[in-house]
Amino acid sequence: VSQSRYTLLEICDSGDSGWVVFTDWLLQFLESSAIPATASGAMNSNQRTGPLTVSLISLLMLVVVLIQTMFFYLDLSANLSNLGLSDLGIYQIQFNNMIKFGAVTHNTDFGFYYLMYFFTQWLNFELFVTACFFLFYASLIKTFYSLCDVKWLVFIVFLLLFFYPMYQSLSSLVLRQGLGFAFLFVSAFFLRSHLFVLSAAKVALASLFHLSMLFYVPVLLINRFISSLKLLVLFWCITVVLYVCNIPLAFVNFLPADLAGAVRAFSMVEDNYVTGFKPLFLILSVVPFLFLLLRPYYYYVCKNQMMFEMFKIFFVANSAGLLFSGFPYYDRVMLFSWVLVPLVMMNFVSFLFLLLS
């Protein structure tokens, strides 16, 4: 066991740990960037899962994604004429424009629009959206598989992901950001502690699907210079207080007059995206903090490099989202932290299960 990682072996003083061998060639591809069991917590000899079980669980996860994708395609096809000016309706207009002009009609988010252009040549819009849905959920398989040593537990939690509102939005509504996150999941951006240059390179590639993915660059910079999780949690607590008191609403006053006026006007028009404090936003943001209140898990996170970095990313990104609450669509900023909530929850549940077993 690496000295740089604090595993359940060290907490519970039980058994040893080892590598899991993956034999299925398809699952090797899906799990090529997965972290071995020692990264998320060592299992004792009675809990270790064999290669056959590992492959079957991953295969079941993939089958679930395929089944959900089929139902999504059928529902989308039945409601295609009712998209209107929703996000999908706008994508449909862009798709039809590419067919009409026979070329890519946008000079940003090249990864997304060239993928769309590919579908305009041989396939239809429904299949394009369905492909985005499949790619997003398929990219989660290896990530969640890496965060839990109790593989049947991974499968159960994975089933619940299809009901998580943020993942529903990223897989079927805000498709550009969804593909950007899918790339980060596939590249194990949230699972491995890389050199800053390598992590930034992954973010840069993800930004080809949506430019907003560059949001993670300043997050990485802050995490590079602040190594204390306690300090980041303290700063996050301060931003929570500011958020509850609606202090960020006043930040608009510090913008240039023209820009501040535009923001206020836009806020008045967008009734569905009101600014300021939202209780449900706060509840979702507090969940990872509550996990750290369990002392053994906090010690585990502090010694586990993978989870330590993941929590740092969450608290920095979530703090930024809370501070942006004075601006319309700040929920899109919150997504950069909310995507990590199920990952953190998976690891916490796995930790708790092994701790109590």
Side-chain angles (χ1 to χ4, degrees), residues 1-155:
V1 180
S2 173
Q3 295 180 354
S4 64
R5 292 176 179 170
Y6 190 78
T7 65
L8 287 177
L9 171 65
E10 298 171 78
I11 295 177
C12 304
D13 193 26
S14 60
D16 58 348
S17 60
W19 297 84
V20 178
V21 180
F22 302 106
T23 56
D24 188 290
W25 67 270
L26 176 61
L27 300 170
Q28 285 180 355
F29 169 75
L30 291 173
E31 299 160 1
S32 60
S33 300
I35 305 299
T38 52
S40 59
M43 294 180 290
N44 60 40
S45 58
N46 295 326
Q47 294 166 325
R48 187 173 299 158
T49 306
L52 180 60
T53 305
V54 168
S55 297
L56 287 176
I57 294 296
S58 296
L59 181 60
L60 284 174
M61 294 165 72
L62 182 59
V63 169
V64 168
V65 173
L66 289 171
I67 293 174
Q68 289 288 341
T69 301
M70 179 184 67
F71 282 114
F72 175 79
Y73 173 77
L74 294 175
D75 181 69
L76 177 64
S77 299
N79 296 280
L80 194 63
S81 60
N82 301 322
L83 296 179
L85 292 179
S86 64
D87 283 16
L88 284 185
I90 294 174
Y91 287 138
Q92 186 180 33
I93 294 173
Q94 295 171 345
F95 191 92
N96 292 335
N97 285 338
M98 286 189 186
I99 295 177
K100 178 180 178 180
F101 296 106
V104 177
T105 55
H106 290 75
N107 55 8
T108 59
D109 303 334
F110 297 106
F112 176 81
Y113 284 111
Y114 272 97
L115 178 62
M116 179 184 285
Y117 179 73
F118 171 81
F119 275 81
T120 64
Q121 300 302 298
W122 294 282
L123 303 168
N124 57 30
F125 178 72
E126 303 95 288
L127 288 175
F128 168 70
V129 178
T130 303
C132 293
F133 180 92
F134 172 80
L135 290 173
F136 179 80
Y137 281 108
S139 71
L140 293 171
I141 293 177
K142 67 174 183 178
T143 301
F144 275 81
Y145 194 90
S146 303
L147 292 170
C148 181
D149 294 322
V150 187
K151 301 310 176 188
W152 61 265
L153 190 59
V154 177
F155 179 73

Side-chain angles (χ1 to χ4, degrees), residues 169-204:
S169 177
L170 289 169
S171 62
S172 61
L173 190 62
V174 285
L175 302 182
R176 288 177 295 169
Q177 275 187 307
L179 289 181
F181 279 113
F183 178 84
L184 293 182
F185 287 135
V186 168
S187 64
F189 173 78
F190 298 110
L191 297 181
R192 298 183 185 275
S193 179
H194 297 293
L195 295 173
F196 173 80
V197 174
L198 182 56
S199 295
K202 291 184 177 183
V203 172

Side-chain angles (χ1 to χ4, degrees), residues 59 66 80 88 95 156 168 178 188 201 223 235 261 303 326 332 342:
L59 181 60
L66 289 171
L80 194 63
L88 284 185
F95 191 92
I156 293 176
Q168 288 178 337
N223 285 344
F235 178 76
K303 297 297 182 180
R332 300 293 177 90

